[in-house]
Amino acid sequence: MLDVGADAPEFELPNQHGETIRLSEFEGQRVVVYFYPRANTRGCTIEAKSFRDARAAFDDLDVAVVGISDDPVDDLAAFADDHDIPFDMLSDEHGEVSTLYDSYGEKQMFGNTFDGVFRNTYVIDADGCVEAVYEDVSPEGHADEILAELESAPAAH
């Protein structure tokens, strides 16, 4: 995992609408960057909906949210439409950005080994540095956990 205080790696990825989103677009604002394994799976849907449902609270704190998986743009578009996801869902099909964030690698499921995205989250501060790290998170209650910590630790300017 990246260390708190480290510069967050810049990224440039397409969102669910095919628009290019860069981390640098959030300069001057905190951003939650959460990595998730697969759109429209149970855990990933719970996690995305929890961030969706907490959108107003994140907005009140001037904190942006982006989700990153290795799903193709078309899958992300359907996922966002199906669940009314109001924030950017980014497609990292080859796992390059996820790798930079120590959130991609070998996984095992049902006796199969494959490469995939790990469920990790980073909070990036307004200056582009890692403010908080959440590794191998549980999708249930995760957005609320981050909100509670953000509310107790106001942004430094």
Side-chain angles (χ1 to χ4, degrees), residues 81-125:
D81 286 345
D82 289 348
H83 301 289
D84 297 319
I85 305 300
F87 50 84
D88 289 312
M89 304 297 286
L90 305 181
S91 174
D92 183 24
E93 281 196 79
H94 303 290
E96 289 113 352
V97 171
S98 300
T99 298
L100 291 174
Y101 281 80
D102 296 325
S103 297
Y104 191 84
E106 189 174 281
K107 300 170 74 169
Q108 290 189 357
M109 186 182 302
F110 307 118
N112 296 317
T113 301
F114 58 95
D115 286 337
V117 178
F118 305 133
R119 193 181 307 278
N120 298 326
T121 301
Y122 291 90
V123 177
I124 311 302
D125 71 15

Side-chain angles (χ1 to χ4, degrees), residues 9 40 44 54 68 79 89 112 119 127 130 134 137-139 148-149:
N40 275 321
C44 297
I68 298 177
F79 181 55
M89 304 297 286
N112 296 317
R119 193 181 307 278
D127 296 320
V130 175
Y134 303 83
V137 303
S138 172
E149 291 188 23

